[in-house]
Amino acid sequence: MPARLDHTIVHSRDRFASARFLAELIGEPEPKSFGPFASLPLDGGVTLDYLDAPAKIVSQHLAFLVSEDEFDEIFARMKERELPYWAGPMHEKPQRINHLFGGRGVYLDDPDGHSIEFITRTYVID
């Protein structure tokens, strides 16, 4: 069986606030308490376990492949909340999306400074 990502830990200042931020954007249920974590299960069997960080948070990048309809729903929630977003990972092209590989993509920062990316097409690397 090939290796499959099961879960990862995301450091935060407030584990439930951070997990809720993403859950609300993607239309998932309330995160659940699991030991010291606020756990957010995702499709495909991967769980994001948010943990209160004891020190400075190092920014991570989390990219989510979503359908065109899901992108529309997520993007509408972002705009409704007046969240800043960018077409590129280095905050280039503010308040725009990209159209890489024939799809759509957008970046935003979560409350802890983690870079969240939503794409409708997987990037093809030759």
Side-chain angles (χ1 to χ4, degrees), residues 41-56:
L42 303 171
D43 283 350
V46 175
T47 300
L48 298 180
D49 289 324
Y50 285 81
L51 178 68
D52 290 338
K56 181 182 177 199

Side-chain angles (χ1 to χ4, degrees), residues 71 87 96-106 120-121 123:
F71 187 94
R96 294 177 55 196
I97 66 171
N98 69 55
H99 297 277
L100 299 174
F101 300 97
R104 293 183 291 164
V106 66
T120 61
R121 299 279 166 87
Y123 297 154

Side-chain angles (χ1 to χ4, degrees), residues 51-126:
L51 178 68
D52 290 338
K56 181 182 177 199
I57 295 171
V58 176
S59 178
Q60 292 175 253
H61 173 79
L62 302 168
F64 298 92
L65 180 63
V66 298
S67 70
E68 292 289 341
D69 289 340
E70 289 167 326
F71 187 94
D72 289 338
E73 292 168 6
I74 292 165
F75 192 55
R77 291 181 192 114
M78 289 169 55
K79 289 170 56 175
E80 178 181 291
R81 292 179 172 100
E82 298 180 351
L83 297 172
Y85 58 90
W86 299 270
M90 304 307 286
H91 292 177
E92 58 266 5
K93 300 180 183 172
Q95 302 311 106
R96 294 177 55 196
I97 66 171
N98 69 55
H99 297 277
L100 299 174
F101 300 97
R104 293 183 291 164
V106 66
Y107 295 81
L108 76 151
D109 292 340
D110 82 354
D112 296 303
H114 298 299
S115 178
I116 308 295
E117 177 184 14
F118 296 105
I119 56 174
T120 61
R121 299 279 166 87
T122 298
Y123 297 154
V124 179
I125 302 169
D126 292 328

Side-chain angles (χ1 to χ4, degrees), residues 14-61:
D14 179 332
R15 66 187 185 271
F16 276 97
S18 296
R20 276 187 202 106
F21 175 83
L22 181 59
E24 289 170 359
L25 279 180
I26 63 176
E28 289 294 326
E30 177 78 9
K32 302 282 190 219
S33 182
F34 179 70
F37 306 106
S39 291
L40 180 60
L42 303 171
D43 283 350
V46 175
T47 300
L48 298 180
D49 289 324
Y50 285 81
L51 178 68
D52 290 338
K56 181 182 177 199
I57 295 171
V58 176
S59 178
Q60 292 175 253
H61 173 79

